[in-house]
Amino acid sequence: MTTTKTIAELSCPAPLPAKDTILLGHGSGGKLSNELVRDIFLPALRNPALARLDDQAIVKIGNQRLAFTTDSFVVKPLFFAGGDIGSLAVHGTVNDLAMGGAMPLFLSAAFIIEEGFSIGELRRVVDSLHRAASAAGVEVVTGDTKVVEKGKGDGLFITTTGIGVVPDGVDLSASHACPGDKVLLSGSIGEHGIAILAQRTGLEFETEIQSDSAALHTLVADMLAVRREIRCMRDPTRGGVSSTLNEIAQQSHVSIELEEQSIPIREEVRGACELLGLDPLYVANEGKLIAIVAAESAGKVLQAMRNHPLGIAAQIIGTVGKEHAGLVTMRTPLGTTRVVDMLAGDQLPRIC
Amino acid sequence: MTTTKTIAELSCPAPLPAKDTILLGHGSGGKLSNELVRDIFLPALRNPALARLDDQAIVKIGNQRLAFTTDSFVVKPLFFAGGDIGSLAVHGTVNDLAMGGAMPLFLSAAFIIEEGFSIGELRRVVDSLHRAASAAGVEVVTGDTKVVEKGKGDGLFITTTGIGVVPDGVDLSASHACPGDKVLLSGSIGEHGIAILAQRTGLEFETEIQSDSAALHTLVADMLAVRREIRCMRDPTRGGVSSTLNEIAQQSHVSIELEEQSIPIREEVRGACELLGLDPLYVANEGKLIAIVAAESAGKVLQAMRNHPLGIAAQIIGTVGKEHAGLVTMRTPLGTTRVVDMLAGDQLPRIC
C-alpha cells in the first residue's frame, strides 16, 4: 500500500469512510486525525495556544514561557526491540517539549491498567520509565492509576504530560516556514514503525530492526545554540515524515519539495517496507526530528546536528516553496515529481 | 458491605488477595491503591515531589511555585446525573490543583477512544469539557487523541493534566496535620458515588441523586483569604472521606477522631447507602473538600466556607489527635468509638 499520488489524482481525492463513528484511522496522525482536531476539538475548545496546532502549547506564567504537552501511549506490543511503553512515554513527551525549543523539566504519568495485568510487567514498565526519565534529566513528579475491568482495556495505557522552559528568543512553530527555507532531517526514517510491526507480525529480518526511540532535547539544544532563529521543529511520529511535512506546509501556507535520494533510510528498513508494502515516508519515528531553517543557517545547523550522537546521519532533504501552498512533493532520482500526501487511513494503528 | 472495624479486629486484618496481578481494587483509591503506589511507583520513581504523596506536585520554575497534577478518567457510564466524563475530567484536575492551594491556569486533555465510538457523543463530551473549563476560568491548551481497536477500550477515557500557580505563603500538604487541629468538611457526602451507582444499576429513588461534581478552586481561594496557614486540603474522591482521612493520618503521623453526627449526609444518600449496603464514608465525592485547620482558625475558615455557594453546609467534623498515629476513629451518637479504616477492596470501581 502506498498513499502517494500524482498531482492529477489530487484533484479527485478518494472518499473517506462514513463519519458518524470513530475509526482506527482517527488515531493515525494522518488525514482523519487532522479532521477530528479541526472539526471537533478546535471549534469547541478554541483558544490561541491550541489553535497553533503545534505538538506543545507555549503558555506564559509570570515572566517564564513554559511548554506544556500531553500524549497517551497505547503502543502494542508493550515491549519491543529498542524500547517499551515506559521509555516511549518519556521520549515522546520529552520530544514534544523539545520540538517547542523547551528544556524539559517535569513529567506526570497516568496509568490505565486492565484488571489481571501482571504486576511484574508493570514493575518493568515503571522501571524503564524511570530510567528513561533519569537519562533525559527529567523527574516524574506526579501520577495517577486507574484500573478497568478485564476486556475493557488492553493491558496498559500510559499518558505522560510534560512541562519545560522555553529559552528567550526561541519561537518555533509549524506556522513559521518561509519560502526558500531548508528542510533538515536528523537521521534515517521508519525504524520505530518497522520494529513494532515486525514484533507484532512475528516477522524476522536478517538484522533486527530496533526502534529509534530516544530523547531529542539535547540535540535540539545544540541546534538552537548555533542558531536560535530556527523556524520550526517537529518529530515525525504517527503518520511519518509525510504527514509532518504536510502539516507544516498547511500551517505555514507554503509548499515543500523533497529530494528522494537525500532521505536516509537504512537498507533493512527499506527491505522490510518493500516486503510489507509500506512507504517509509509514512512510517513512524520516535527519535528523529525535522527542522525548517533559513537557507543561510542550514549549513551551520546541519553541522551541529551531525556533531550530536542522535544527528550523525542528518541531511538536508528539501526546500520550502511559495507556489501550491499546502502541497508536499518529492523529486525522484529519475527527475520526476510526485505528490506526497498526508496519510489517508490507518497504515499502522497503535504505533505509539 | 461495610469496611469499618472495631479496634480489636484491626490487630488481625483480613488477608488481601494474591499480589501478582492487578485487581480492580488497585484503582479504588483505598488500601490496594496505596500499596501499589508505595510498592511500585515510589521506589522506582523516588523524588521529593512525588514522595509527598499529595494530589499534586509543587515544583519551582524560576521564582514561581507551580502545582502540577494528572488524572485519568474512566468513569462508567460516561453521562450521569449531574455531569459527564468531560466536566468530571475538568473538575477533578482543577480540584487537585486547588487542594495544593493553587489557582488553576491551564489544562491538557488526552483522549483514548475505542474504535466505533460515536462522534456525536465525543462532541457532547468535548463541549461539556469546554463549558466546565470556561466556567472554572481555565484553558485547555493542548491535547492528544489515540484510537484503540473495538474491544480494547471502553468507549472513552480522558486524561487531564493541570498547571496552576501557588500563592506565596501557602503550603498545604497531607503531612502537615498537627494534634489539636480541626477537621472541616465542605458539605454533604456520597452524592457522586451514589449518582453513578444509581445510573449503573438502573435504581430509581424518589428524588434523583445528582453528582456533586464541581470546581472547588474559588472556595479554596476564599478559605485561604481568611487564613493562609491552613495545613492541608484534600478532596475525598475515590475511597471517600475515610480513605482521605486515613492518608492524612498516615502522612502526618497523627490520629483523627470524627464525630459521626456532625458529618452531613443527605437523607436520600443515606437511604440509598442503606439499601445498597454501602457506608457513605467510603463513597466518592467530586465537589467536596476536607481541610485541616489549626483550632484557633477553624471558626473563621468555617465561616468563609459557609459564605461560598459550595460550602454552605460546611461542618467541623473532627479533631486531630496525637496517640495511635495513623488511626482514624469515629465517635457514634451512642458515645461508642469505632475504627474507620481505609477502603480495603473495590467498593465501586470506575467511579471517576
Coordinates of all heavy atoms in Angstrom, one line a residue, chain A residues 29-69:
Chain A
G29 N -2.7 9.9 13.1 CA -1.8 11.0 12.9 C -1.9 11.6 11.5 O -1.2 12.5 11.1
G30 N -2.7 11.0 10.6 CA -2.9 11.5 9.3 C -4.1 12.3 9.1 O -4.5 13.1 9.9
K31 N -4.7 12.1 7.9 CA -5.9 13.0 7.5 C -7.0 12.9 8.4 O -7.6 14.0 8.8 CB -6.4 12.5 6.1 CG -6.1 13.5 5.0 CD -6.6 13.0 3.7 CE -6.0 13.8 2.6 NZ -5.9 13.1 1.3
L32 N -7.4 11.7 8.9 CA -8.6 11.6 9.8 C -8.3 12.3 11.1 O -9.2 12.9 11.7 CB -9.0 10.2 9.9 CG -9.7 9.5 8.7 CD1 -9.9 8.0 8.9 CD2 -11.0 10.2 8.4
S33 N -7.1 12.1 11.6 CA -6.7 12.7 12.9 C -6.9 14.2 12.8 O -7.4 14.9 13.6 CB -5.3 12.4 13.3 OG -5.1 11.0 13.4
N34 N -6.3 14.7 11.7 CA -6.3 16.1 11.4 C -7.8 16.7 11.3 O -8.1 17.7 11.9 CB -5.7 16.3 10.0 CG -5.2 17.7 9.7 OD1 -6.0 18.5 9.4 ND2 -3.9 17.9 9.8
E35 N -8.7 15.9 10.6 CA -10.1 16.3 10.6 C -10.7 16.4 11.9 O -11.5 17.2 12.2 CB -10.9 15.3 9.7 CG -10.6 15.6 8.2 CD -11.5 14.6 7.4 OE1 -12.4 13.9 7.9 OE2 -11.2 14.5 6.2
L36 N -10.4 15.3 12.7 CA -11.0 15.2 14.0 C -10.7 16.5 14.9 O -11.5 17.1 15.5 CB -10.5 14.0 14.7 CG -11.3 13.5 16.0 CD1 -12.7 13.0 15.6 CD2 -10.6 12.3 16.6
V37 N -9.4 16.8 14.8 CA -8.9 18.0 15.5 C -9.6 19.3 15.0 O -10.2 20.1 15.8 CB -7.4 18.2 15.4 CG1 -6.9 19.5 15.9 CG2 -6.7 17.0 16.2
R38 N -9.7 19.4 13.7 CA -10.3 20.6 13.1 C -11.8 20.7 13.3 O -12.4 21.8 13.4 CB -9.9 20.8 11.7 CG -8.4 21.1 11.5 CD -8.0 21.2 10.0 NE -6.5 21.2 10.0 CZ -5.8 22.2 10.0 NH1 -6.3 23.4 10.2 NH2 -4.4 22.2 10.0
D39 N -12.5 19.5 13.2 CA -13.9 19.5 13.3 C -14.5 19.5 14.7 O -15.6 20.1 15.0 CB -14.5 18.3 12.5 CG -14.2 18.4 11.0 OD1 -13.8 19.4 10.6 OD2 -14.5 17.4 10.3
I40 N -13.8 18.8 15.6 CA -14.4 18.6 16.9 C -13.6 19.4 18.0 O -14.2 20.2 18.7 CB -14.3 17.1 17.4 CG1 -14.9 16.2 16.3 CG2 -15.0 16.9 18.7 CD1 -16.4 16.0 16.3
F41 N -12.3 19.2 18.1 CA -11.6 19.8 19.2 C -11.4 21.3 19.1 O -11.7 22.1 20.0 CB -10.3 19.1 19.4 CG -10.5 17.7 19.9 CD1 -10.3 16.6 19.0 CD2 -10.8 17.4 21.2 CE1 -10.5 15.3 19.5 CE2 -11.0 16.1 21.7 CZ -10.9 15.1 20.8
L42 N -10.9 21.8 17.9 CA -10.6 23.2 17.8 C -11.9 24.1 17.9 O -11.8 25.0 18.7 CB -10.0 23.5 16.4 CG -8.5 23.3 16.4 CD1 -7.9 23.9 15.1 CD2 -7.8 24.0 17.6
P43 N -13.0 23.7 17.3 CA -14.2 24.6 17.4 C -14.7 24.7 18.8 O -15.1 25.7 19.3 CB -15.2 24.0 16.5 CG -14.5 23.1 15.6 CD -13.2 22.7 16.3
A44 N -14.6 23.5 19.5 CA -15.2 23.5 20.9 C -14.3 24.2 21.9 O -14.8 24.9 22.8 CB -15.4 22.1 21.3
L45 N -13.0 24.0 21.7 CA -12.1 24.5 22.8 C -11.3 25.7 22.4 O -10.4 26.2 23.1 CB -11.0 23.4 23.1 CG -11.6 22.0 23.5 CD1 -10.5 21.0 23.6 CD2 -12.3 22.1 24.8
R46 N -11.7 26.3 21.3 CA -10.9 27.4 20.6 C -10.2 28.3 21.6 O -10.8 29.0 22.5 CB -11.8 28.2 19.7 CG -11.0 29.3 18.9 CD -11.8 29.8 17.8 NE -12.1 28.8 16.8 CZ -11.2 28.3 15.9 NH1 -9.9 28.7 16.0 NH2 -11.5 27.4 15.1
N47 N -8.9 28.4 21.5 CA -8.1 29.3 22.2 C -6.7 29.4 21.4 O -6.4 28.5 20.7 CB -7.9 29.0 23.7 CG -7.2 27.6 23.9 OD1 -6.0 27.5 23.5 ND2 -7.8 26.7 24.4
P48 N -6.0 30.6 21.6 CA -4.9 30.8 20.7 C -3.8 29.7 20.9 O -3.2 29.3 19.9 CB -4.4 32.2 21.2 CG -5.5 32.8 21.9 CD -6.3 31.7 22.5
A49 N -3.5 29.3 22.1 CA -2.5 28.3 22.3 C -2.8 27.0 21.5 O -1.9 26.4 20.9 CB -2.3 28.0 23.8
L50 N -4.0 26.5 21.6 CA -4.4 25.3 21.0 C -4.4 25.5 19.5 O -4.0 24.6 18.7 CB -5.8 24.9 21.5 CG -6.3 23.5 21.1 CD1 -5.4 22.4 21.8 CD2 -7.7 23.3 21.5
A51 N -4.9 26.6 19.0 CA -5.1 26.9 17.6 C -3.8 26.9 16.8 O -3.7 26.7 15.6 CB -5.8 28.2 17.4
R52 N -2.6 27.0 17.5 CA -1.3 27.0 16.9 C -1.1 25.6 16.3 O -0.3 25.4 15.4 CB -0.2 27.3 17.8 CG -0.1 28.8 18.1 CD 0.9 29.0 19.3 NE 2.3 28.8 19.0 CZ 3.0 27.9 19.5 NH1 2.6 27.1 20.4 NH2 4.3 27.7 19.1
L53 N -1.8 24.6 16.8 CA -1.7 23.2 16.4 C -0.3 22.6 16.4 O 0.1 21.8 15.6 CB -2.3 23.1 14.9 CG -3.8 23.1 14.9 CD1 -4.3 23.0 13.4 CD2 -4.4 21.9 15.7
D54 N 0.5 23.1 17.3 CA 1.8 22.6 17.5 C 1.8 21.4 18.4 O 0.7 21.1 19.0 CB 2.8 23.6 17.9 CG 3.2 24.6 16.8 OD1 3.5 24.1 15.7 OD2 3.3 25.8 17.0
D55 N 2.9 20.7 18.6 CA 2.9 19.5 19.4 C 2.9 19.8 20.9 O 2.8 19.0 21.8 CB 4.1 18.6 19.1 CG 3.9 17.9 17.8 OD1 2.8 17.9 17.2 OD2 4.9 17.5 17.2
Q56 N 3.0 21.1 21.2 CA 3.0 21.6 22.6 C 2.4 23.0 22.6 O 2.4 23.7 21.6 CB 4.4 21.6 23.1 CG 5.4 22.7 22.6 CD 5.6 22.7 21.1 OE1 5.2 23.6 20.4 NE2 6.2 21.6 20.6
A57 N 1.8 23.3 23.7 CA 1.3 24.7 23.9 C 2.5 25.5 24.6 O 3.2 24.9 25.4 CB 0.1 24.7 24.9
I58 N 2.6 26.7 24.2 CA 3.5 27.6 24.9 C 2.7 28.6 25.7 O 1.8 29.3 25.1 CB 4.4 28.4 23.9 CG1 5.1 27.4 22.9 CG2 5.4 29.2 24.7 CD1 6.2 26.6 23.5
V59 N 2.8 28.6 27.0 CA 2.0 29.4 27.9 C 2.9 30.3 28.7 O 4.1 29.9 29.0 CB 1.0 28.6 28.8 CG1 0.0 27.8 28.0 CG2 1.8 27.7 29.7
K60 N 2.4 31.5 29.1 CA 3.2 32.4 29.9 C 2.7 32.3 31.3 O 1.6 32.5 31.6 CB 3.1 33.8 29.3 CG 4.2 34.7 29.8 CD 4.7 35.7 28.7 CE 6.0 36.4 29.3 NZ 6.4 37.5 28.6
I61 N 3.6 32.1 32.2 CA 3.3 32.1 33.7 C 4.4 33.0 34.3 O 5.5 32.7 34.3 CB 3.3 30.7 34.3 CG1 2.2 29.9 33.6 CG2 3.0 30.8 35.8 CD1 2.0 28.5 34.3
G62 N 3.9 34.1 34.9 CA 4.9 35.1 35.4 C 5.7 35.6 34.2 O 5.2 35.9 33.2
N63 N 7.0 35.6 34.4 CA 7.8 36.0 33.2 C 8.5 34.8 32.5 O 9.4 35.0 31.7 CB 8.9 37.0 33.7 CG 9.7 36.4 34.9 OD1 9.5 35.3 35.3 ND2 10.7 37.2 35.4
Q64 N 8.0 33.6 32.8 CA 8.5 32.4 32.1 C 7.6 32.0 31.0 O 6.4 32.0 31.1 CB 8.6 31.3 33.1 CG 9.5 31.5 34.3 CD 10.9 31.0 34.0 OE1 11.2 30.6 32.9 NE2 11.7 31.0 35.1
R65 N 8.2 31.6 29.8 CA 7.4 30.9 28.8 C 7.6 29.4 29.0 O 8.7 28.9 29.0 CB 7.9 31.3 27.4 CG 7.3 32.6 26.9 CD 7.6 32.8 25.5 NE 9.0 32.6 25.2 CZ 9.5 32.2 24.0 NH1 8.7 32.0 23.0 NH2 10.8 32.1 23.8
L66 N 6.5 28.7 29.3 CA 6.5 27.3 29.5 C 5.9 26.5 28.3 O 4.9 27.0 27.7 CB 5.7 26.9 30.8 CG 6.2 27.5 32.1 CD1 5.3 27.0 33.2 CD2 7.6 27.2 32.3
A67 N 6.6 25.4 28.0 CA 6.0 24.5 27.0 C 5.2 23.4 27.8 O 5.7 23.0 28.9 CB 7.0 23.8 26.2
F68 N 4.1 23.0 27.3 CA 3.2 22.1 28.0 C 2.6 21.1 27.0 O 2.1 21.6 26.0 CB 2.1 22.9 28.7 CG 1.0 22.3 29.5 CD1 1.4 21.2 30.4 CD2 -0.3 22.7 29.5 CE1 0.4 20.6 31.2 CE2 -1.3 22.1 30.3 CZ -0.9 21.0 31.1
T69 N 2.7 19.8 27.2 CA 2.3 18.9 26.2 C 1.9 17.6 26.8 O 2.3 17.2 27.9 CB 3.5 18.6 25.2 OG1 3.0 17.8 24.1 CG2 4.6 17.8 25.9

